[in-house]
Amino acid sequence: MDKSKIIALAAVLIIVIAAAAVLLTKDNGDDAKETDTSFTIIDGKGTEFKFDGPIDGVVSVNTNIPQAMKILGYEKQLKGISFYSEKTDKSNWELFQPLFPDATHMSVTKSMTAEEIIQKTGVKYVIAPVSKMTVQDDKEAQYKAQGIQVIRLDCNGDTTFEDYEKLITLFQGKDAKNEKYEEYNELANGVINNVVSKAKEIDTSDKTFFAYMNSKKAFYNQTSEISKNIEKVYGKNATWSISGLDLNGISNDATADGLKESIIALDAEKKVDKFFFRGTSSTDTAEQAEEAWSKSIIAKNYSDLSCVKSGEVYVFDSDFMSGPLSYIGIVLYAEICGIDTGYNTKTLVEDFNKLYGFNEKTSGFVFKIADGKATELTFS
């Protein structure tokens, strides 16, 4: 082979190798791009969802999820809102419509069909609570058949902040930062840290309490976020002293065999000091607090507890024991327990409303029950 042919062949080989290298680099780049944008979310029910990148729209169920999306600045991503109760559907929409002017008022949850979701919003995702006031399994199956997935996040209670972070990932992608979330964290943690610092000035290590969720007729145990929040400023949950207590969940059924006997026994051994009773979000008048208390299992079956007899029962509007207002709840716990926090709780709620555009009520946060009568407590 002459020299010119050898040179020509070498040139061809160089071109082929270079082309292959470019192609390989391009393939790797596509793979890298896919890896960079894809992510997985595990919802509150334990279901795994895989996404190629951020999603741009959802329909929400009930009130906690749109509230979370407002705080995080995702108003435009909320394409439709479905409320669970027919009774409060109209009043809820009147509250939320000004906050989400681009969102559609969907049918109540039990009546919302896949066809309605597709026709009115065009979205492929519904975000609903995990187990209460949510999309039922048969309805979820109907949605799935039409290509609509139900992602279950409470955005409330023990998973509030974890769920907020999942929303950030859903709408912005993995490892995303959200300034509004950081702002909210700074606000909430600033208040909490100040209150905890003042609580340390008073030794309550020998004090105990019960925390109770009326809607589930259950005592919060020491694994719950509500219990941990109270313990930031006051004593210990009395459930720590119950041997063999089932801690697989955050609460224990007040009607379960053996639990009443265990609670009565520990109270007899060492009097429990305070009882924190979680009502509903409409427990905001003395009359409603009295009614919630009088109809409860505690009033009927646990009236001999020391804290009940001594009038150390506190009935809360549910919104202050979990969710975005729970940092104000910690102020309430501290004030109830004799700690001067320096905060005006009404002002804290007003500031929250101004910052996020909400219209949360500025009274009726907590009531003291003594001899079956409720008295509203205010702290300034």
Side-chain angles (χ1 to χ4, degrees):
M1 184 179 295
D2 60 37
K3 186 176 181 180
S4 61
K5 289 183 178 180
I6 292 174
I7 293 172
L9 182 58
V12 171
L13 287 172
I14 290 170
I15 292 170
V16 170
I17 293 169
V22 169
L23 186 59
L24 183 60
T25 301
K26 185 177 184 299
D27 288 343
N28 285 341
D30 288 346
D31 289 345
K33 184 177 180 181
E34 181 179 347
T35 302
D36 287 342
T37 60
S38 62
F39 59 85
T40 298
I41 289 287
I42 298 176
D43 74 357
K45 200 174 180 180
T47 304
E48 182 177 286
F49 296 87
K50 294 183 178 180
F51 302 88
D52 293 329
I55 62 177
D56 59 7
V58 299
V59 167
S60 70
V61 169
N62 224 23
T63 58
N64 289 322
I65 293 154
Q67 189 176 45
M69 292 181 67
K70 173 64 177 175
I71 288 173
L72 297 174
Y74 299 133
E75 294 95 326
K76 292 187 180 301
Q77 285 88 338
L78 188 55
K79 306 301 184 182
I81 307 176
S82 171
F83 300 107
Y84 187 80
S85 170
E86 290 182 352
K87 184 178 180 181
T88 58
D89 179 63
K90 184 175 183 293
S91 60
N92 276 331
W93 178 244
E94 289 173 352
L95 289 173
F96 280 88
Q97 196 277 332
L99 303 177
F100 300 94
D102 298 326
T104 299
H105 185 195
M106 310 296 287
S107 300
V108 292
T109 307
K110 68 178 181 181
S111 302
M112 184 172 62
T113 64
E115 289 74 19
E116 179 185 3
I117 294 170
I118 293 168
Q119 291 171 9
K120 290 185 176 181
T121 71
V123 305
K124 297 180 179 179
Y125 303 100
V126 172
I127 302 182
V130 176
S131 58
K132 292 182 62 180
M133 297 185 177
T134 190
V135 175
Q136 298 303 309
D137 290 344
D138 58 343
K139 181 74 73 173
E140 180 178 1
Q142 294 172 19
Y143 292 170
K144 193 172 182 179
Q146 296 292 325
I148 298 169
Q149 298 188 71
V150 177
I151 304 168
R152 297 183 183 271
L153 300 174
D154 282 330
C155 296
N156 190 38
D158 292 277
T159 63
T160 297
F161 296 102
E162 177 184 346
D163 291 345
Y164 279 27
E165 290 171 2
K166 289 177 181 178
L167 287 177
I168 293 169
T169 302
L170 280 171
F171 295 120
Q172 292 182 235
K174 67 179 182 179
D175 302 324
K177 300 295 182 183
N178 181 296
E179 289 184 5
K180 290 182 178 292
Y181 180 62
E182 300 299 330
E183 181 184 63
Y184 172 76
N185 261 338
E186 184 177 348
L187 167 69
N189 287 323
V191 171
I192 293 169
N193 291 339
N194 285 338
V195 174
V196 169
S197 177
K198 291 183 178 181
K200 289 179 180 177
E201 298 173 4
I202 301 175
D203 183 13
T204 62
S205 58
D206 64 334
K207 303 295 184 181
T208 56
F209 64 84
F210 288 118
Y212 178 79
M213 177 171 31
N214 194 38
S215 64
K216 286 191 174 181
K217 299 181 176 66
F219 286 89
Y220 284 107
N221 61 47
Q222 58 266 36
T223 70
S224 71
E225 195 67 26
I226 285 173
S227 176
K228 292 172 185 176
N229 280 345
I230 300 171
E231 288 179 350
K232 290 180 193 297
V233 297
Y234 185 80
K236 289 288 183 184
N237 192 333
T239 59
W240 282 99
S241 300
I242 301 178
S243 178
L245 185 66
D246 182 4
L247 300 178
N248 288 319
I250 63 169
S251 63
N252 300 86
D253 186 352
T255 66
D257 291 342
L259 184 60
K260 178 182 176 182
E261 290 75 15
S262 296
I263 285 176
I264 297 298
L266 74 84
D267 183 59
E269 184 177 341
K270 183 183 182 301
K271 293 181 179 181
V272 176
D273 300 283
K274 297 188 185 299
F275 198 108
F276 298 98
F277 182 105
R278 183 180 181 183
T280 67
S281 58
S282 61
T283 309
D284 53 10
T285 66
E287 292 75 18
Q288 288 166 335
E290 284 180 17
E291 182 179 8
W293 170 254
S294 65
K295 292 181 177 180
S296 71
I297 291 292
I298 304 303
K300 294 175 182 176
N301 296 346
Y302 291 84
S303 58
D304 288 335
L305 288 175
S306 302
C307 47
V308 176
K309 286 183 174 181
S310 63
E312 291 293 332
V313 173
Y314 301 91
V315 175
F316 281 76
D317 177 323
S318 176
D319 291 342
F320 291 91
M321 293 189 81
S322 68
L325 294 175
S326 60
Y327 70 97
I328 302 175
I330 292 175
V331 177
L332 294 172
Y333 302 144
E335 292 283 354
I336 286 168
C337 298
I339 299 161
D340 183 3
T341 66
Y343 286 107
N344 181 316
T345 49
K346 178 182 177 181
T347 301
L348 287 174
V349 175
E350 289 173 341
D351 290 345
F352 176 85
N353 285 340
K354 288 177 184 177
L355 187 59
Y356 296 110
F358 289 113
N359 189 30
E360 297 288 348
K361 50 189 172 288
T362 54
S363 63
F365 306 156
V366 61
F367 303 85
K368 183 173 183 176
I369 302 289
D371 297 324
K373 298 297 181 181
T375 302
E376 182 178 354
L377 300 180
T378 58
F379 303 102
S380 57

